[in-house]
Amino acid sequence: MTLSSGPTPDAGSLTAREKEVLDLVARGLSNAEIVQETGLSINSVKSFIRGAYRKIGAENRGDATMWARAHGFGDDEAAS
């Protein structure tokens, strides 16, 4: 996993919407599927993903998925 050299990853700084979108990313949904699931626009989905990546130090979707799964996202219990 490649993490950026930015701030220390912090799940606590994620907004509720960033957590929701990150959870869906961790479940393997594409951006288009996240749009369908949430009713957000594609640009909003991309914006929330970028914000989450920045906050957790991920450089790509694979990094974000690995980080999210290690922190309890991507399962039915994490959706909150």
Side-chain angles (χ1 to χ4, degrees):
M1 178 163 97
T2 305
L3 295 178
S4 72
S5 59
T8 303
D10 179 15
S13 69
L14 293 167
T15 67
R17 191 63 93 169
E18 287 168 341
K19 288 178 183 178
E20 177 185 13
V21 171
L22 186 58
D23 184 67
L24 296 172
V25 167
R27 292 178 189 208
L29 274 66
S30 68
N31 288 0
E33 291 169 327
I34 294 171
V35 166
Q36 292 295 318
E37 181 76 20
T38 63
L40 295 169
S41 73
I42 189 67
N43 289 332
S44 292
V45 167
K46 289 177 180 180
S47 180
F48 288 122
I49 290 172
R50 278 192 306 271
Y53 282 14
R54 185 173 48 254
K55 290 177 182 178
I56 66 171
E59 293 184 359
N60 56 53
R61 200 173 196 95
D63 290 348
T65 298
M66 288 176 55
W67 185 94
R69 291 202 165 270
H71 289 85
F73 291 88
D75 60 32
D76 291 334
E77 306 301 317
S80 56

